[in-house]
Amino acid sequence: MSQQNETIRPSQLIYQSGPGAIVELLNQSVIVKSADQWHTRRAPQEKDVRITSLLGVDHVRVLNENPDKQRIKAVEFPKWKICPKCHNMTNYDNDTCYYCARKNEHDLQDLYASRFILACENGHISDFPYNEWVHRNKVCTEQSKDPRLMLKTRGSSGSLSDLHVICLHCKHSESLGGIMKTEERDLHSLFDCKGDRPWISDKAKQKCNCKMKTTLRGASNVYSPSISSFLQVPLTASSSEFDVLYLVEKDKEKFNKAYIGMGEEGLEMACGFKSIPTSFVPTIKRYLDGEITLEESSTYESIKKQEWNTLTQDEINEERFSSKKVDIAPILVPYFDGVFRIDTVPEVQVLKEFTRLDYIDRFTDEEVKTQPVVITNEAKWLPAVRNYGEGIFFQFNLEKLLKWEENEQVTSAIIKAYNSQREEFNKTQLDILPRQILLHTFSHALLQEFAAHCGYTTTSLKERIYASDDMYGVFIYTASGDSEGSLGGLINLAQSEKLLPIIIRALENMSYCSSDPICSDGDFEYHTTANGAACHACTFVSETSCEWGNLLLDRRTLVNINPNENDGYFDQLLEM
């Protein structure tokens, strides 16, 4: 097949079109090759210690900076193709139907790729074995020759059983009605996994004892990326050990000179220049002596705590990050300790790995069968994109939040239902705080209302939840891929006279739903997800905008929507 050049946006390579993903181009279906086979050496390398220490890599390559100098490789997949006119099937590297052209040289019928493929939980993927399927119950004397197959529809129901594969050698046909049935998969060896990994090479096979499952090539579970997101905010000398060690790492040579020259006294002086409390000198000493490493103290929670420490500063003005605490209406003071306008913030999104037939847990790092996106013996790296956006950060009032958590009665049922759901999938139960549900629901309410006023769509906005014993805030920011800077439409809403009516309107919208009273009752008998009073008609947003996959939501935590309820955090705000 002749080489074709088509353009894929860098953000697509991090999400739905990464290594190992099946991508529909204009005239063919391909699978994207592993990232080490791409031409990305001219991509800028980011060596932010916070990112590299957590991911265990030497650097990440920023694909959307200098994108014209980069080339992504892909190979045709699946191999089986069908002619829409004569219904002949082929697995040769031709774009048009050979049989139609043989009858009429001007009749160039474009082939379309097979809809069905095989995949296993260990990440392997292969073509559906049409030739083996049609001959699974009947031996063909001509089977040793090149397969001559035809795919025809017999019937009008549109079901799989109407599709028949016909061998043109022996004239035998078989329906595809059973290709997704478990009993067929367990019965026949043609579903045994051969360990194919075409995104690496045809020879990169692995031993695998799995039974493969038949699925559509465009199914959402064929490729599920695991993405880590980092805000590149300036560091503050806070009480976090990781923050301090990161500051030391940035000027490790100077700290080493001070330590070698003057011992602990030199470290105290160096800490003074960096505004680091001297209480961290013993920790810094252990770090410089090699007793502890950044990798040991680097966790996703420690990075989010560092972001929290920066976002809650009254004012910061740096080249790539700018924030300022804004005045809020007096009526909002009992609910928020502060609202902050983030004029510019860089976000780095890194593609770590991917799964097939399984989804990565958004809440824990439990083991799942993942596949690497980079297979190389060189210095470890991962593909990434960096976007520059804007946002508004809300820091809740801790005193009122603690009082609300003591009195609310609705979140316990949601937490129990969610953990029961996790137990069904053999996942560990989580210690979920009531504030997580409150903050998450508030974020969704504002996401929808902001989109109506700021000029961005909801898919261009994103949430970042800070909910733990010592964090209690929500950051809503722009997350449009492949763009630098922002339009200013979101931060413009941080003005006091604009923000108050937006918050009130968002809360009013949460007080009713077109699916009420079924939605407002929060009855789990009618729900397919572990949420309370929340559904697609009122609270859900796009998956790309939500950090927790539209889970752990309940409108009743915001406002009282049913009689005799007093669980709404903002209910008194609507009464004023």
Side-chain angles (χ1 to χ4, degrees):
M1 180 173 291
S2 61
Q3 289 188 348
Q4 299 184 29
N5 293 322
E6 294 195 30
T7 302
I8 297 179
R9 298 195 310 274
S11 61
Q12 289 178 295
L13 295 171
I14 298 299
Y15 283 95
Q16 70 270 27
S17 303
I22 299 174
V23 178
E24 297 295 325
L25 300 180
L26 288 176
N27 298 314
Q28 64 180 142
S29 172
V30 299
I31 189 167
V32 180
K33 302 285 276 185
S34 59
D36 50 292
Q37 300 182 61
W38 302 351
H39 297 297
T40 59
R41 294 190 178 276
R42 295 188 181 182
Q45 296 184 7
E46 177 59 67
K47 296 191 176 184
D48 190 321
V49 180
R50 287 171 287 189
I51 299 174
T52 58
S53 60
L54 180 65
L55 300 179
V57 296
D58 177 73
H59 64 275
V60 298
R61 296 184 183 177
V62 185
L63 302 179
N64 62 332
E65 296 178 2
N66 199 19
D68 295 336
K69 301 296 183 180
Q70 301 167 47
R71 295 292 181 269
I72 309 304
K73 288 188 175 181
V75 64
E76 185 182 42
F77 185 85
K79 293 291 186 181
W80 278 110
K81 300 178 288 294
I82 303 102
C83 175
K85 183 177 181 180
C86 69
H87 310 293
N88 275 286
M89 302 179 68
T90 179
N91 55 7
Y92 284 100
D93 291 338
N94 50 310
D95 295 320
T96 57
C97 181
Y98 164 78
Y99 303 102
C100 289
R102 190 171 64 176
K103 293 179 180 179
N104 181 357
E105 61 180 9
H106 299 294
D107 189 8
L108 300 179
Q109 289 290 328
D110 290 332
L111 303 175
Y112 66 90
S114 164
R115 285 191 293 162
F116 305 105
I117 59 170
L118 296 181
C120 85
E121 294 176 352
N122 287 328
H124 305 128
I125 191 170
S126 61
D127 275 77
F128 183 80
Y130 289 101
N131 193 44
E132 291 81 355
W133 175 261
V134 73
H135 296 120
R136 75 191 197 284
N137 296 320
K138 181 182 184 301
V139 177
C140 178
T141 56
E142 304 290 332
Q143 194 172 354
S144 59
K145 298 182 179 181
D146 288 338
R148 284 287 313 278
L149 304 179
M150 185 178 287
L151 184 66
K152 277 196 170 184
T153 302
R154 294 174 177 172
S156 57
S157 68
S159 65
L160 277 177
S161 57
D162 285 348
L163 283 175
H164 287 74
V165 181
I166 306 168
C167 175
L168 298 180
H169 291 307
C170 65
K171 308 304 179 183
H172 181 67
S173 70
E174 284 284 346
S175 167
L176 297 183
I179 63 175
M180 293 188 178
K181 293 181 179 179
T182 304
E183 54 268 26
E184 291 283 358
R185 186 172 72 247
D186 295 338
L187 183 63
H188 298 289
S189 60
L190 61 91
F191 290 100
D192 292 344
C193 182
K194 299 178 179 61
D196 291 332
R197 296 188 294 173
W199 69 95
I200 301 174
S201 75
D202 291 337
K203 298 179 181 179
K205 295 179 181 289
Q206 290 180 324
K207 289 185 178 180
C208 184
N209 298 320
C210 286
K211 282 286 188 178
M212 304 192 85
K213 297 180 180 179
T214 305
T215 183
L216 295 172
R217 74 172 190 271
S220 62
N221 64 346
V222 169
Y223 180 82
S224 301
S226 173
I227 300 166
S228 289
S229 173
F230 304 87
L231 298 182
Q232 287 192 298
V233 298
L235 205 64
T236 58
S238 65
S239 57
S240 169
E241 180 181 282
F242 176 66
D243 293 0
V244 171
L245 292 184
Y246 176 72
L247 282 173
V248 173
E249 175 64 26
K250 290 183 70 175
D251 290 301
K252 192 173 183 179
E253 186 177 344
K254 294 180 180 179
F255 275 88
N256 264 323
K257 286 182 179 180
Y259 181 38
I260 295 171
M262 301 177 63
E264 291 191 14
E265 184 178 345
L267 288 180
E268 291 179 0
M269 293 177 61
C271 287
F273 287 118
K274 289 290 182 181
S275 301
I276 298 174
T278 55
S279 59
F280 283 101
V281 168
T283 301
I284 297 172
K285 182 175 177 294
R286 291 178 60 209
Y287 175 64
L288 296 176
D289 288 337
E291 296 179 13
I292 57 175
T293 64
L294 271 174
E295 286 77 8
E296 293 173 341
S297 58
S298 176
T299 64
Y300 190 63
E301 282 304 312
S302 69
I303 290 176
K304 291 198 77 170
K305 183 61 192 303
Q306 178 258 305
E307 294 173 4
W308 164 268
N309 293 331
T310 301
L311 291 171
T312 53
Q313 299 295 309
D314 285 351
E315 186 171 1
I316 297 178
N317 284 298
E318 295 199 3
E319 182 180 356
R320 296 199 302 180
F321 180 85
S322 176
S323 67
K324 183 179 181 181
K325 189 174 184 179
V326 299
D327 295 329
I328 59 175
I331 196 175
L332 294 177
V333 171
Y335 304 95
F336 301 103
D337 282 342
V339 176
F340 302 80
R341 188 190 70 212
I342 314 299
D343 294 331
T344 177
V345 57
E347 179 193 31
V348 176
Q349 296 171 322
V350 184
L351 175 61
K352 297 190 300 181
E353 52 204 1
F354 69 91
T355 65
R356 296 203 197 280
L357 305 182
D358 197 4
Y359 294 100
I360 293 175
D361 195 330
R362 293 177 183 250
F363 294 92
T364 68
D365 294 326
E366 289 182 357
E367 273 192 34
V368 290
K369 297 174 182 177
T370 59
Q371 291 292 315
V373 297
V374 176
I375 301 159
T376 178
N377 294 323
E378 303 174 9
K380 290 184 178 180
W381 64 277
L382 290 171
V385 294
R386 175 163 41 215
N387 301 317
Y388 293 85
E390 58 180 343
I392 303 176
F393 176 66
F394 297 86
Q395 182 182 8
F396 275 57
N397 183 292
L398 181 58
E399 182 179 352
K400 179 172 177 57
L401 186 61
L402 291 173
K403 185 177 179 181
W404 174 83
E405 287 182 315
E406 290 178 0
N407 299 322
E408 63 86 21
Q409 301 292 326
V410 296
T411 61
S412 57
I414 305 169
I415 296 170
K416 182 180 179 181
Y418 179 63
N419 278 323
S420 297
Q421 189 183 73
R422 292 182 64 85
E423 193 173 359
E424 291 179 9
F425 291 95
N426 297 318
K427 295 182 178 180
T428 57
Q429 297 192 2
L430 302 179
D431 292 326
I432 299 171
L433 299 174
R435 69 181 61 176
Q436 291 179 258
I437 300 173
L438 168 64
L439 295 174
H440 193 206
T441 311
F442 174 75
S443 174
H444 279 223
L446 274 194
L447 271 169
Q448 297 181 40
E449 196 62 25
F450 277 157
H453 292 82
C454 69
Y456 295 103
T457 62
T458 53
T459 55
S460 298
L461 299 178
K462 195 173 181 181
E463 68 180 5
R464 205 164 179 84
I465 310 297
Y466 299 87
S468 64
D469 291 333
D470 53 357
M471 293 191 292
Y472 36 93
V474 170
F475 182 38
I476 298 176
Y477 61 105
T478 57
S480 296
D482 316 322
S483 63
E484 293 188 9
S486 64
L487 301 176
L490 182 56
I491 57 174
N492 186 51
L493 302 182
Q495 300 177 42
S496 176
E497 65 274 12
K498 294 182 179 180
L499 188 60
L500 176 60
I502 287 176
I503 292 177
I504 291 178
R505 178 66 64 85
L507 295 175
E508 288 176 342
N509 289 341
M510 290 293 103
S511 64
Y512 58 88
C513 171
S514 59
S515 296
D516 286 341
I518 294 176
C519 178
S520 61
D521 286 344
D523 193 336
F524 296 102
E525 180 183 351
Y526 303 103
H527 287 200
T528 56
T529 57
N531 288 304
C535 69
H536 285 282
C538 57
T539 315
F540 289 5
V541 297
S542 65
E543 290 286 335
T544 56
S545 299
C546 180
E547 195 173 22
W548 292 346
N550 283 322
L551 295 171
L552 302 178
L553 295 162
D554 195 328
R555 294 183 288 130
R556 295 173 298 178
T557 59
L558 300 179
V559 293
N560 300 331
I561 58 179
N562 295 317
N564 303 319
E565 285 184 348
N566 296 289
D567 302 299
Y569 181 86
F570 294 99
D571 200 62
Q572 294 182 2
L573 179 62
L574 295 185
E575 295 176 357
M576 294 181 180

